[in-house]
Amino acid sequence: MSVLIGPPNARHILTYAKDLRGGGVERAQLRLARGWLAAGRRVTLAIEDVAGPLATELPEGLEIVTPSRLLALPGVVRRLSPDVIFCPGNFYTGIAAWTRLRLGKTCPPIVAKMSNAPARADHSRLMHAAHQVWLARHGSFLDHLVAMTPATAEEAARATRMVGRTSVIPNPPAVPIPGKVPDLPDRFILGVGRLELQKRWDRLIAALPLLADRTIPLVILGEGSERGAIKAQVRELALGDRVLLLGHSGDPLPVMARATVLALTSDYEGVPGVLREALSVGTPVVSTDSSAAVAEIVDRPDRGTVVARDDAAALVDALDAWLAPTVQRPEPVPQPGADSAERYLALFDQMVGR
């Protein structure tokens, strides 16, 4: 049953991004845009660079404008007069603040999604304090905040001082995308995500020589600036061809279904979609406690194991347990979010209606 009632108020939605290099924030953004377009809304994406792996996922009917910098977004808003602005993640809230400052009372409602944890493990004490001050200002320029699970919503509402202006809407689920599945080993550990410091691939690679199975390979789907550092660590540990860097994948679900276990060893996350995607195809997961949402997703011991971020021994033990030949794979867990696009539209209409 549709959650939309009456004629739409938010007929034109403007969202924005830096590029299409393949992050989870932008992928979810495009899935939502596809749903909004299917519901008959006009959707515009303001983006600095339309090149990148996610370019193949741009939905038909999406209007694209390409300002030289996202700092020009206030001018785009003045020119196009959208009914609502959707900020797709934490990385982009600075642009939302700038847009509100420049447009003042003429700025349309801004709805933002909390895509990462309010507290980041990579921050020093001083950076943490500064980040908390910044988050506490969000309520002055955002009209509404969306988080993806109850625990992250509670955490985000406190950090941004937006209690009473926060909703829970999960990301839309991953859907199969036709394409060639790469050649894969019979058994392997899988990692999926950008090759960036946040993901801490070094933890997972360092665990490989310590596993009971000294031959099990690690397959990583993703691309990013840490590729060189990862290759250097592989050489240093003499892992040979045990680490396979297969680059960006438009649809990791078929590879997830073949994996023996999926591992996520990040310092911090928002709501890691890769865990939900792996469980949706019956693949167990091992994850660091990188977000309050991890325990919400890995909510039963027969689905996976959550370990402390810097407990290397616990990571090895968890991987060994799930790599045991007799271990039983979990029953598939359906992904939430099939109606997420509609729920966002209901929220947008409510914001504009006010």
Side-chain angles (χ1 to χ4, degrees):
M1 178 181 294
S2 173
V3 297
L4 300 179
I5 300 174
N9 295 311
R11 293 179 175 85
H12 183 193
I13 302 155
L14 174 70
T15 187
Y16 57 96
K18 185 173 179 59
D19 54 47
L20 297 173
R21 288 186 300 170
V25 168
E26 292 77 16
R27 171 166 275 161
Q29 179 185 33
L30 295 182
R31 289 175 186 161
L32 286 169
R34 182 175 290 106
W36 300 335
L37 288 164
R41 308 300 175 98
R42 177 185 175 190
V43 185
T44 300
L45 172 66
I47 188 166
E48 290 182 7
D49 185 0
V50 293
L54 288 181
T56 59
E57 299 181 33
L58 289 168
E60 186 177 351
L62 180 68
E63 299 177 22
I64 296 176
V65 295
T66 54
S68 58
R69 298 182 304 162
L70 284 181
L71 286 173
L73 190 69
V76 175
V77 175
R78 284 194 191 99
R79 179 165 56 87
L80 298 180
S81 299
D83 297 305
V84 66
I85 299 172
F86 175 62
C87 170
N90 304 48
F91 176 77
Y92 294 109
T93 55
I95 298 299
W98 171 247
T99 302
R100 175 73 70 183
L101 177 66
R102 294 290 294 168
L103 298 181
K105 292 182 179 179
T106 66
C107 185
I110 302 177
V111 176
K113 187 181 78 175
M114 181 65 72
S115 59
N116 259 324
R120 289 176 41 167
D122 63 332
H123 279 171
S124 64
R125 184 177 298 179
L126 181 60
M127 280 294 293
H128 173 77
H131 190 225
Q132 295 309 301
V133 171
W134 164 239
L135 288 173
R137 294 291 300 157
H138 278 44
S140 66
F141 59 84
L142 297 179
D143 293 278
H144 203 85
L145 188 67
V146 174
M148 293 174 277
T149 71
T152 54
E154 183 178 346
E155 190 177 39
R158 289 197 308 267
T160 59
R161 300 181 183 178
M162 294 181 68
V163 174
R165 290 193 287 154
T166 303
S167 297
V168 178
I169 305 177
N171 275 340
V175 293
I177 299 174
K180 182 181 179 182
V181 178
D183 292 331
L184 297 166
D186 291 335
R187 301 178 73 249
F188 61 94
I189 302 166
L190 178 63
V192 179
R194 292 173 297 114
L195 306 186
E196 302 295 344
L197 284 172
Q198 169 193 351
K199 301 298 184 179
R200 292 300 305 270
W201 297 110
D202 59 303
R203 287 181 176 137
L204 186 52
I205 293 168
L208 283 184
L210 306 177
L211 296 175
D213 184 344
R214 299 300 174 87
T215 64
I216 189 81
L218 167 63
V219 173
I220 299 178
L221 301 180
E223 198 52 81
S225 63
E226 288 294 293
R227 175 178 276 269
I230 291 171
K231 286 185 173 181
Q233 184 185 13
V234 170
R235 287 194 299 269
E236 182 181 346
L237 295 178
L239 291 174
D241 57 359
R242 284 185 66 189
V243 179
L244 308 176
L245 301 178
L246 301 187
H248 174 81
S249 171
D251 179 15
L253 288 175
V255 182
M256 288 178 174
R258 294 268 303 275
T260 309
V261 61
L262 178 135
L264 180 72
T265 51
S266 302
D267 267 337
Y268 63 95
E269 290 282 349
V271 177
V274 294
L275 299 182
R276 281 183 164 157
E277 290 167 16
L279 289 173
S280 76
V281 293
T283 296
V285 298
V286 171
S287 175
T288 52
D289 55 351
S290 48
S291 162
V294 171
E296 293 179 288
I297 298 171
V298 191
D299 58 348
R300 289 175 17 183
D302 60 334
R303 291 175 175 168
T305 307
V306 182
V307 300
R309 282 186 289 264
D310 291 312
D311 193 336
L315 176 60
V316 170
D317 289 346
L319 289 171
D320 275 340
W322 287 106
L323 290 170
T326 57
V327 75
Q328 186 173 355
R329 293 171 70 87
E331 290 294 320
V333 183
Q335 297 180 66
D339 63 345
S340 291
E342 282 192 338
R343 291 168 65 183
Y344 267 103
L345 290 178
L347 175 60
F348 293 162
D349 286 343
Q350 181 183 12
M351 292 294 102
V352 175
R354 288 178 181 174

